[in-house]
Amino acid sequence: MLGALSRPYLSSGKKSSEIMAGKPKLHYTRGRGKMESIRWLLAAAGVEFEEEFIEKKEDLEKLRNDGSLLFQQVPMVEIDGMKMVQTRAILSYIAAKYNLYGKDLKERAWIDMYVEGTTDLMGMIMALPFQAADVKEKNIALIIERATTRYFPVYEKALKDHGQDYLVGNKLSWADIHLLEAILMTEELKSDILSAFPVLQAFKGRVSSIPTINKFLQPGSQRKPPADEKSIANVRKIFSI
C-alpha cells in the first residue's frame, strides 16, 4: 500500500533508490510551527536533514501547484521517495523508522497517549504569537496552569512510579523527545515552571545530555528560535491569516 501511494510523488528523473538514499528534505517556513517537532525527532535520531524554506506566498503556491502537497498544506517532508504531509503521519513514520516507537502495540499506545498530551500543550503555546496582547496574557496564565496541574503531573508520576529513565519501556522514545520539547517551550514562558517537579527536572537534564539531542540544543543547530514580530508578520502574509 505504501509503495503504491508513494509512486506518484517520486521526483522526476530520479530512481526511487536514489531518493531513499538522500537526506530528508523539510519544506516549511523558517519558524518553529508544526515542523519543529519533526526537526526535533530527526535530530534526536541522529538523522541529517535539509530544509527548503517557504519565504513568500509564491513558494507555497508553487508546492501546491506542482502537486507536492496532498492536502494543500505544509509541513511537507520528502523522505524515502514520498512527499509526506500531515504532522502526525510524518512524526509516526520517523518514530517507527528510527526505533523510537516502542517494541509492541501496548508501548506504542502509551507513547501515543503521552505525545497527544504534549501536543495539546504545545499547540496552546504555538498559538500565542498570533493573539492580541490581552488575550495572549490570559492564555499564558492558562497554559502555565494547565502545564502544572494537568500535564506535568502525569509525566512526573509516570517516571516516579516505574523508576526508569524514560517514559515507556525504559528506552528513549518519541514520547521523551516530545516531552523535552514541551518542557523547554513552557520554560520560555516561566523559567521555573518545573520547580515543583523534581523528577521532571532530572528527566530534562538526562535527556538533554543525550549526544544527538545535546547537539540540537547548541547554538547554530537547525533548532528554531521563538517567533518574533517580523517572522509572525511573514507567516501571516504567506498563509493569508
Side-chain angles (χ1 to χ4, degrees):
M1 177 65 76
L2 190 59
L5 286 172
S6 67
R7 279 196 294 272
Y9 295 94
L10 293 176
S11 301
S12 60
K14 290 188 178 180
K15 296 178 182 177
S16 176
S17 59
E18 290 174 352
I19 296 169
M20 290 178 71
K23 296 177 184 177
K25 182 182 285 188
L26 282 50
H27 296 262
Y28 202 65
T29 67
R30 290 185 180 273
R32 288 181 179 176
K34 291 187 175 183
M35 185 65 88
E36 190 70 355
S37 291
I38 297 168
R39 297 181 184 112
W40 264 90
L41 197 55
L42 286 168
V47 178
E48 293 185 1
F49 57 88
E50 300 173 351
E51 298 190 79
E52 189 162 310
F53 294 113
I54 297 169
E55 307 273 14
K56 52 189 185 297
K57 194 175 183 67
E58 290 76 12
D59 298 334
L60 179 61
E61 289 304 317
K62 183 178 184 301
L63 288 173
R64 287 172 172 166
N65 293 335
D66 70 13
S68 293
L69 305 179
L70 197 62
F71 299 108
Q72 307 297 306
Q73 296 171 311
V74 289
M76 188 270 279
V77 175
E78 295 185 64
I79 185 170
D80 293 346
M82 297 180 289
K83 292 186 176 180
M84 291 197 72
V85 296
Q86 298 296 340
T87 309
R88 173 76 198 204
I90 297 166
L91 287 164
S92 297
Y93 182 84
I94 293 167
K97 178 179 173 70
Y98 295 104
N99 199 25
L100 294 165
Y101 211 176
K103 70 177 186 299
D104 54 31
L105 280 175
K106 187 173 284 189
E107 286 195 358
R108 185 168 291 195
W110 277 105
I111 289 167
D112 284 341
M113 286 192 282
Y114 289 141
V115 164
E116 288 300 317
T118 40
T119 297
D120 289 347
L121 179 58
M122 289 194 289
M124 295 172 69
I125 298 171
M126 282 191 280
L128 288 173
F130 298 93
Q131 297 168 354
D134 57 336
V135 176
K136 182 177 179 180
E137 187 175 343
K138 290 178 183 177
N139 283 337
I140 287 174
L142 177 62
I143 290 165
I144 292 167
E145 187 270 331
R146 288 274 176 86
T148 53
T149 64
R150 178 179 296 187
Y151 296 107
F152 288 168
V154 170
Y155 305 109
E156 179 87 358
K157 184 177 187 301
L159 291 163
K160 187 175 182 179
D161 284 355
H162 63 45
Q164 297 172 345
D165 287 346
Y166 304 109
L167 285 167
V168 180
N170 202 25
K171 181 179 182 293
L172 181 71
S173 76
W174 174 20
D176 302 300
I177 298 158
H178 219 238
L179 176 55
L180 177 60
E181 182 186 1
I183 287 170
L184 295 181
M185 286 176 72
T186 56
E187 284 184 333
E188 289 172 352
L189 302 179
K190 189 175 190 294
S191 61
D192 65 345
I193 199 163
L194 288 187
S195 59
F197 302 98
V199 178
L200 279 182
Q201 290 179 42
F203 169 87
K204 173 193 166 187
R206 188 165 58 246
V207 178
S208 296
S209 298
I210 294 169
T212 53
I213 294 175
N214 183 262
K215 181 180 178 183
F216 187 63
L217 292 172
Q218 298 308 308
S221 79
Q222 288 168 291
R223 184 183 179 212
K224 301 301 181 273
D228 58 21
E229 289 185 11
K230 183 178 178 182
S231 64
I232 290 300
N234 196 43
V235 166
R236 288 186 183 278
K237 190 178 297 184
I238 291 170
F239 296 102
S240 301
I241 54 177

